[in-house]
Amino acid sequence: MRPLPISREEFARFFQKARPPSGWSAHLGVANSGGPDSTCLLFLIQRYIRDSQPSSTTSPSRVYSLTVDHALQASSTAMAEQSAQAAMKLEIPHTTVRVPWGTPPFPPLPDKSFENIARGARYNILWRWMQQENIGTLAMGHHADDQVETALMRLGKKSSELGGRGMLTCRRWGMGVKNELDWVGIEGMNKWIIRPLLEVSKLLRTGY
């Protein structure tokens, strides 16, 4: 049986549960990979904003989309184009940024063990984009299945109880690690990352 779509009322609860303590900023960003998770999130947020009567505290007034093209796979350009097309269909302003490997602060193109390096590059670009577009909160499409995987992975690495609880629905961006790629300083304490779909299973998400 095909799962029921996430209703307006359900997503409104998920979204407001992810609301930063400082309230919503006018501009909300979405990290858009072009996959079903981020596409689902784009659709739900855009629908929510259109249904709402936004103010600076009750809801964002506009959503933006960003895709980071890591250029680590032959299909990366096509995947980035797919992301742009998904945002365009939803009438959401979209930006694609290709990682400029070898241009400081970015290291040379990695050929192995690249996951952590790629993550650092992605977050650096996301941060710069948020600054440019005056975006106070970044939404990510992680769902309940991702949450279980993250918690198990952290526990397998003998993480603390805090780490084992998994991802938070809402957290500060943070100041980062003191290196050229990750460090953002005190301003990182004024921006937020939210994951409104953490209570939604992958099966339910496919019915959006």
Side-chain angles (χ1 to χ4, degrees), residues 81-156:
E81 178 60 26
Q82 179 177 314
S83 304
Q85 291 295 326
M88 186 182 302
K89 288 179 181 178
L90 293 170
E91 299 179 345
I92 294 173
H94 176 81
T95 302
T96 297
V97 178
R98 191 178 181 91
V99 178
W101 297 112
T103 301
F106 300 93
L109 182 69
D111 57 0
K112 58 182 179 179
S113 302
F114 56 78
E115 288 187 5
N116 287 337
I117 297 174
R119 182 183 184 278
R122 179 169 65 254
Y123 272 73
N124 180 285
I125 289 172
L126 286 166
W127 171 261
R128 291 169 183 259
W129 173 69
M130 290 175 70
Q131 294 287 80
Q132 291 170 2
E133 300 294 343
N134 194 28
I135 292 169
T137 303
L138 179 72
M140 295 186 172
H142 298 101
H143 49 73
D145 300 61
D146 296 321
Q147 180 73 300
V148 172
E149 180 181 348
T150 298
L152 290 175
M153 180 182 66
R154 290 180 179 177
L155 290 172

Side-chain angles (χ1 to χ4, degrees), residues 172-203:
R172 294 183 189 274
W173 183 280
M175 296 174 68
V177 180
K178 282 197 172 183
N179 60 53
E180 282 190 293
L181 203 59
D182 297 328
W183 180 252
V184 300
I186 192 65
E187 181 61 25
M189 303 303 289
N190 298 320
K191 293 191 183 295
W192 302 86
I193 294 174
I194 64 169
R195 296 179 171 92
L197 300 180
L198 278 184
E199 296 181 36
V200 179
S201 72
K202 184 175 183 179
L203 180 62

Side-chain angles (χ1 to χ4, degrees), residues 18-60:
R19 178 181 178 271
S22 57
W24 295 112
S25 56
H27 296 172
L28 175 74
V30 174
N32 179 10
S33 69
D37 304 329
S38 54
T39 303
C40 170
L41 186 60
L42 279 171
F43 167 79
L44 292 169
I45 290 176
Q46 180 75 321
R47 183 179 69 178
Y48 177 85
I49 290 176
R50 286 178 171 175
D51 287 349
S52 303
Q53 295 181 352
S55 73
S56 60
T57 57
T58 61
S59 173

